[in-house]
Amino acid sequence: MDICQQTQLQLNEIEREIAESQPLVSNKIPTAQLQNEYASDDKIAELMKTYKYIRRIRGDGNGFYRAFAFGYLEKNLNNKKELERFRQLTYDLKDQLVKLGYLDFTVEDVRDVVIEIIDNIYKEGNEQSLIENFCSPSYSDYLVAYLR
C-alpha cells in the first residue's frame, strides 16, 4: 500500500470517528458551558448576556450552510407564511437553475428533498422534528447541496 492509500485510509477513519461522536446538529447547550472551553476569552461573558443556548454543528466543511439553514428554519418553525414563501422560492428556483445549465433531473431531485424537509417542518412545527431532519445525513446533505 502506497502513502496516498494510507493517507486516504487515515482520513476515512478520522471522518468515521467524527461522524460517530458528533451529531450534524446538536441539541441546545447552555452558553455557560463555553466558559470551561474558553476560560481565557472575555467575550464569552458578552455572549452569555445575549444568548442562553448554542448548538454545535459538525465541522465537516458544510457547517456554515447547515448552521444557516437550521437557524433560518428554527427561527421560522411556527411562521407558516415564511415557510410557504421559502417553499415557493425553492420550487421556482429549479427552472432558473436549468436555464443556467444545471441538469434538470439533478436539480429536481435536490429541490424535491428540500421541499420535503420544508413540508415536514411545516406539518410538525417543532424543534425535535427539525433536529431529526438535520441529523439525517441524506436530508442534511441535500439541503447543503441546495444552498451551495
Side-chain angles (χ1 to χ4, degrees):
M1 182 179 308
D2 68 13
I3 191 76
C4 289
Q5 290 172 322
Q6 289 175 341
T7 302
Q8 188 59 51
L9 286 174
Q10 187 176 17
L11 286 172
N12 292 346
E13 178 63 21
I14 291 168
E15 287 176 8
R16 185 189 61 74
E17 287 176 12
I18 290 171
E20 289 176 358
S21 65
Q22 297 177 4
L24 290 168
V25 177
S26 76
N27 288 316
K28 288 180 179 177
I29 300 167
T31 52
Q33 284 189 6
L34 294 174
Q35 284 182 314
N36 298 333
E37 293 177 47
Y38 303 98
S40 63
D41 193 340
D42 297 333
K43 296 174 191 159
I44 299 303
E46 289 300 313
L47 280 174
M48 290 174 57
K49 289 178 187 175
T50 306
Y51 304 102
K52 293 181 182 180
Y53 301 98
I54 62 163
R55 291 187 190 277
R56 297 205 186 266
I57 306 292
R58 185 184 299 164
D60 61 358
N62 295 316
F64 169 78
Y65 297 100
R66 191 171 290 114
F68 174 81
F70 188 93
Y72 170 77
L73 291 169
E74 183 179 35
K75 179 177 172 57
N76 291 294
L77 269 176
N78 297 306
N79 185 344
K80 303 291 188 189
K81 185 176 179 180
E82 181 61 18
L83 290 173
E84 288 168 4
R85 187 186 78 79
F86 181 51
R87 186 185 197 284
Q88 190 62 49
L89 286 170
T90 301
Y91 188 82
D92 294 343
L93 183 62
K94 178 199 158 228
D95 293 334
Q96 295 172 16
L97 290 174
V98 169
K99 286 178 188 175
L100 291 172
Y102 288 88
L103 296 174
D104 183 76
F105 69 91
T106 304
V107 174
E108 192 169 330
D109 284 349
V110 172
R111 180 202 62 192
D112 290 349
V113 172
V114 172
I115 286 177
E116 185 178 342
I117 293 168
I118 296 167
D119 289 347
N120 289 344
I121 294 162
Y122 187 92
K123 290 174 194 164
E124 298 294 325
N126 64 54
E127 186 179 304
Q128 191 56 40
S129 173
L130 183 61
I131 289 172
E132 287 170 8
N133 277 274
F134 271 79
C135 285
S136 164
S138 56
Y139 277 155
S140 189
D141 291 348
Y142 271 93
L143 192 55
V144 167
Y146 171 75
L147 290 174
R148 283 184 177 264

